[in-house]
Amino acid sequence: MRLLLLAATLLTPLPAAAQDRVERVVMLMRHGVRAPITGEAPLDTKVAGQWPTWPVAPEFLTPHGARAIAQLARHDRRWLNGAGCPAPGTVRIHTNTPERTIATGRAYADALAPGCNLTVEHNPEGKTDPLFEPLRAGATAFDATKAVAAITAYTGGVNALTARHAATIRELDRVLGCGLPAGCSTPGLATLKPSADGRGVDFTGPIRATSGTAQVILLQYAEGMPMRDVGFGRADAATIRRLGALHAALFDVFTRSPYMTAHQTGPVGDHMLRTLTAANGPRLEVLVGHDTNVTALAAALGVDLDAPGFARNDAAPGGALVLTRRWDARGPYVTVSYRVQPLDAIRKGTAKVIDRPISIPGCAKRCPLDRFDKLLRAKLAPVVAG
């Protein structure tokens, strides 16, 4: 009888909480909806009409964008234990130095824990943060000549990249409405070469010119502007998604070739892995950067970014890659998800948020922590001593 009771005890499942619990969450997030960057739609782009005005200075987070970030933060409260203010050290929010990233971090912090005055960390103005701008910071042993060769191999050449998107460029011309046979953006062949300082690559041509214009039109829609002002009244949601492929194509140059991925993700990937694997650390760490950061990490993970309303691999405002360290009876493991608002939810200010689970090549959805660390670290360029 005792043996039967013992056997029954051993076969009794552990409580759900003991089987699987969240230990730590580390996420890399793009800033929220902002006003266009000066020159993002090239100044010589020809249009039929006037570009609409924005409520804030160029590059700044808009109030509408801040409200969308607050929706995401309220969704992310689930990662915190209990109500009230988080205990000291359990939440860390670190942003890049531009206003749009700092303001995003502040909007997120205030909605995540209202009244708690969570700290939003960032470098002082003028000090490059290697987590978010590794090439500019010289954080890895980046070789611009090798980068150009790697991008050329990955894309088949930047003019081949242009050719693959020729139909979408023509659709953008229709939206811009200039009616010129040569198109509305600067025509000509694309070029790719090492930058003068050796800390990046210089890319010119149709994709470079049209990618920013497509992003500006998407931001108009996300901002909730009247449809008569979105793409001069000639761009609906389906059109904006198609045009987003031009913006996504920019990352084929700057982040998605293995060489660029390694160097663009080296410092932030190393940081995230250190946080994820440390014996002690914050329960939630949020890093607020840019589309280049999120697309580079996605490439390092070997996954695509996919969200309603957005072209594949075009990072959504506020969208985040979420690395979750969990524990079950087999030990610590990692899951990855893309936490994002659909484009229409951002536009309308609704609370809809999607957590899209992502399977990691070579590891599926449940990846043992040590294996995840090994797989991702193999894709990262080592950080050099600064």
Side-chain angles (χ1 to χ4, degrees):
M1 179 63 70
R2 286 183 179 179
L3 288 174
L4 289 173
L5 288 173
L6 177 59
T9 301
L10 291 174
L11 293 172
T12 300
L14 292 170
Q19 286 182 324
D20 195 320
R21 65 172 184 266
V22 172
E23 294 184 322
R24 191 166 303 149
V25 177
V26 186
M27 67 172 69
L28 178 62
M29 180 167 73
R30 186 189 179 191
H31 58 74
V33 176
R34 55 159 173 80
I37 298 168
T38 300
E40 187 169 27
L43 299 179
D44 58 356
T45 300
K46 301 168 183 66
V47 300
Q50 296 292 320
W51 291 103
T53 58
W54 287 75
V56 294
E59 306 185 28
F60 278 37
L61 184 75
T62 68
H64 182 86
R67 289 190 290 272
I69 293 298
Q71 297 280 23
L72 292 168
R74 286 189 281 270
H75 175 81
D76 291 348
R77 284 181 195 168
R78 70 195 191 285
W79 299 125
L80 304 180
N81 286 327
C85 293
T90 59
V91 175
R92 180 173 185 256
I93 301 171
H94 181 80
T95 81
N96 200 15
T97 55
E99 187 277 347
R100 61 189 179 276
T101 54
I102 297 172
T104 294
R106 186 72 267 157
Y108 184 91
D110 291 345
L112 182 74
C116 298
N117 197 30
L118 294 180
T119 298
V120 176
E121 303 173 7
H122 55 83
N123 281 355
E125 184 178 359
K127 183 179 180 181
T128 302
D129 192 323
L131 294 184
F132 305 108
E133 300 180 80
L135 305 189
R136 183 180 171 194
T140 63
F142 179 78
D143 184 316
T145 300
K146 289 182 180 178
V148 168
I151 295 164
T152 301
Y154 180 77
T155 61
V158 289
N159 285 298
L161 179 66
T162 300
R164 289 197 292 274
H165 292 280
T168 311
I169 292 173
R170 288 194 297 272
E171 183 165 17
L172 177 61
D173 285 339
R174 178 190 64 77
V175 170
L176 297 177
C178 71
L180 298 176
C184 303
S185 297
T186 303
L189 295 176
T191 66
L192 179 69
K193 62 182 181 180
S195 61
D197 63 5
R199 290 194 171 185
V201 295
D202 290 338
F203 175 44
T204 66
I207 293 295
R208 184 62 157 156
T210 59
S211 61
T213 306
Q215 180 70 174
V216 169
I217 294 170
L218 180 143
L219 291 170
Q220 293 169 351
Y221 187 85
E223 175 66 7
M225 290 185 177
M227 289 305 295
R228 66 178 179 274
D229 292 333
V230 176
F232 308 97
R234 292 185 286 272
D236 60 11
T239 301
I240 289 166
R241 182 185 176 102
R242 290 193 298 271
L243 295 180
L246 297 173
H247 193 241
L250 195 66
F251 306 118
D252 285 348
V253 173
F254 287 105
T255 64
R256 295 196 67 82
S257 71
Y259 188 86
M260 293 298 287
T261 296
H263 290 272
Q264 292 278 33
T265 317
V268 74
D270 175 73
H271 174 91
M272 295 177 79
L273 287 174
R274 287 177 183 272
T275 302
L276 204 64
T277 59
N280 297 297
R283 179 172 177 81
L284 173 63
E285 179 174 72
V286 181
L287 304 171
V288 183
H290 308 271
D291 46 16
T292 50
N293 304 127
V294 178
T295 57
L297 179 59
L301 292 168
V303 303
D304 289 322
L305 301 174
D306 193 14
F310 296 92
R312 187 177 294 272
N313 291 320
D314 189 15
L321 282 168
V322 182
L323 312 183
T324 304
R325 172 175 158 171
R326 300 175 182 268
W327 186 93
D328 65 11
R330 290 174 286 177
Y333 70 100
V334 176
T335 59
V336 180
S337 64
Y338 186 39
R339 193 273 285 128
V340 63
Q341 278 193 294
L343 181 56
D344 274 334
I346 300 174
R347 175 176 174 80
K348 296 173 184 176
T350 61
K352 184 175 183 179
V353 179
I354 293 172
D355 286 284
R356 180 155 288 172
I358 296 175
S359 294
I360 303 303
C363 221
K365 292 181 181 178
R366 184 199 182 280
C367 192
L369 179 61
D370 57 350
R371 179 161 177 75
F372 181 83
D373 180 85
K374 182 178 180 180
L375 285 171
L376 180 53
R377 199 167 291 284
K379 302 291 183 67
L380 309 179
V383 179
V384 299

